[in-house]
Amino acid sequence: MDVRVSTRDVQQFDGDAVAVGIFSDDAEPQGPAAALDEAMAGVIAGLQASGEITGVADEVTLLHTLGKIEPARVAVIGLGPRSRFTVDRVRRASAIACRQLRKAGAQRVGLALAGAESGVNLAQAARAATEGALLGLYEFRLYKTPKQEGQTNGNGGGSGDGKRIESLTILGRGREPALRAAVERGQILAEASNFARDLGNEPPNVLTPTELANRARAMAHEVGLECEIFGPDRMRELGMGALLGVAQGSAEEPRFIILRHRGGPKSEPGLALVGKGITFDTGGISIKPAADMDAMKMDMCGGAAVIGAMMAIGRLKPAVNVTGIVPTTENMPGGKAFRPGDILRAANGKTIEIVNTDAEGRLVLADGVSWAVKQGYAPIVDAATLTGACVIALGHVRAGLFSYDEGLTRTIQTAAETAGEKVWPMPMDAEYDEQIRSEIADVKQTGGRPAGAITAAKVIGNFAGDVPWAHLDIAGVNAKDRRDAELDKGATGFGVRTFVELATLLSERSNGKG
Ligand code: BES
Ligand code: ZN
Ligand code: ZN
C-alpha cells in the first residue's frame, strides 16, 4: 500500500473516504472533526447532540457526505476520554477505521490526526496511525482460493472479497519532514510485523526449517543484511548437541539461521537477538494431547520476531551492530527421536539432563545463546513461545520478561513501551535454581510445575555465562484466537517492534544521544 503524508486541511482531502476522531468528553466536535463538521453543515455535531455519536472508544459511525466534500464517506471514530488518550488508542482507532472503510469499498483513504491539544505528540500519532492501518488491514489468505476469476485472495493488505485500500494519507497539521519520517518508520515496523505474522501463519508442511531459512535469506538479500545458514554438518562441528538432539526425531533437517546488520564499529560485536524456531512442536516422545496441537505450527514465532526485526533493522539501518540468530527444527517423535533420560551437550560444553522432550525450546536456545556468547555479542536477548506456565501467569496480555540485569530489563521495558507491546518483569531469585539442579548432568532441563516459566528462563540463562542477557516468553501473546481491533486471528508478530526499538535505543546510547 502507498502511504503518504499531507499537512493540508482535512476538508481539502480529495480521496474516497476520510476518518476523524471524537472524544467522549467533548460536547461538540473539535480539531479536524470540527473542520469536517463545518464543511458538512453540522451533521457530526447534530449526531453528537442526539447521542448517536458518543465518542466512546472503538465506536464507528459511517457518514455519507452527499457531495458536500470530495470524499464520499466520513468515518467518525470514538477515541474515549481525552484524559486516557494514548498512542495505543491512535493505533487501535486507525485499525478500526481502515477496516471499516475498506469494507465500504474505499480505495483512497485519509486519516486525520487529532491536534497537539490531544496530549499525544503528532509524530508519534502519525507513526501509530500508520502501524494501526497496516496491522489492522493484514489478513492471511494465501491458501483461500479466490471466489471469482480475476479476484486476488487479497493476502496482505486486501480483504477476502477482493476489496483493497490502495493509498493511505496521514493528515496532520505539523512539520512535514517530521511527519513523513514518522510515517515511514511506522510503515517499516508494520510491514516487518506482518512479515513475521506470515511466517507464523504459514502451515507447518510449508514452513519447514529449510523453508524458514530460505525466506530469511531472501529477505536478507532484499534489505541488505548478511545471511549465513548452518546445516546439520556444521552444527556437529560446532557441538550443537542440544539443537541436534531435538532435531533427531524429525525427517526435516534443522537449520541455524544468522542475519547480520553492520551499523556500528567493528570493535563492538553488538546486540544479538535469538529466536526459538520450532516449526512444529508435537512434544516429541513426551507427546502433546491432540486438542489444539495445530497451534504448535506457531512455535517458531520467537524466530519470526527475530527475522521480522532484522528486516526492519536492515531498512532503518541503526548505527549499531545487530545479529539475528534462529535455531530452527521440528520437534517430532520419530524412531531416532531423543528421549526423556537422555543427556545432551550444548555448544558451550554444558550437559543437560532431559526430563521431558516437550521442553525443547530451551534446548535449541541453549545452543543459540551459547553460540552468541562465543561470538562475543552483548547484550543477548531471546524470544520464545517457551512455556504454558507463562500463559497461566500473564495470560494473553503481556509477555514475560526475564533477566538478571536490571539495566537491560529497564531498557527492554522502555523499548516495549515505545513499540506498543506489553511486557512484564518476572522474578529470577537464586532460590529457584534448586529446581533445575541435576544429579547426573550440569543442569536439569525442567524444574517441575511450580514457577515453570521462571525455571525455563533459568535453563537458558545457564548458557549466557556472564553476558547481559534477557528472555521474552511470548507463549501467551504470539497469537490471537479471534480478531481484536488491530490484529486478525492468528500470529501477532509480537516482539518485532520491541526488538527494533531496542536496537534503536542501543544505537542512540552508543552514539551519545540516549
Ligand atoms: N511450545 C511449548 C509452549 C507453549 C505452550 C507455547 C502453549 C504456546 C502455547 C513448549 O515447547 C512446551 O511444550 N513447554 C512445556 C514445558 C514443560 C514440558 C516443562 C509446557 O509449557 O508445558
Ligand atoms: Zn514443547
Ligand atoms: Zn515448543
Side-chain angles (χ1 to χ4, degrees), residues 249-377:
S250 170
E252 290 289 338
E253 281 192 0
R255 291 286 182 266
F256 193 88
I257 306 169
I258 304 156
L259 298 167
R260 288 193 184 86
H261 162 70
R262 296 189 200 268
K266 274 210 173 91
S267 56
E268 277 171 38
L271 169 68
L273 302 171
V274 189
K276 169 178 173 181
I278 301 295
T279 60
F280 195 71
D281 182 11
T282 65
I285 296 302
S286 313
I287 199 159
K288 287 181 180 293
D292 296 330
M293 202 202 272
D294 57 314
M296 286 300 123
K297 71 171 187 178
M298 295 200 197
D299 211 18
M300 32 52 68
C301 282
V306 169
I307 295 169
M310 291 309 295
M311 175 175 172
I313 288 168
R315 291 197 164 143
L316 293 167
K317 307 198 191 308
V320 64
N321 293 323
V322 188
T323 305
I325 299 163
V326 182
T328 174
T329 174
E330 289 184 321
N331 185 22
M332 300 287 276
K336 291 188 177 153
F338 77 131
R339 296 149 287 251
D342 284 1
I343 294 180
L344 303 179
R345 190 183 295 275
N348 68 348
K350 274 201 181 191
T351 55
I352 312 164
E353 177 190 358
I354 302 305
V355 178
N356 185 321
T357 62
D358 197 10
E360 82 298 337
R362 59 199 80 182
L363 300 175
V364 305
L365 289 172
D367 276 334
V369 169
S370 294
W371 187 81
V373 170
K374 249 187 225 168
Q375 308 306 306
Y377 301 128

Side-chain angles (χ1 to χ4, degrees), residues 130-169:
T130 309
E131 288 174 3
L134 295 171
L135 295 171
L137 291 170
Y138 171 91
E139 286 177 355
F140 184 75
R141 308 188 62 89
L142 208 55
Y143 298 92
K144 289 288 271 186
T145 305
K147 286 195 191 89
Q148 288 164 31
E149 225 179 296
Q151 226 175 40
T152 68
N153 60 13
N155 193 50
S159 75
D161 50 14
K163 289 176 179 168
R164 192 180 175 85
I165 294 179
E166 301 294 342
S167 76
L168 177 71
T169 306

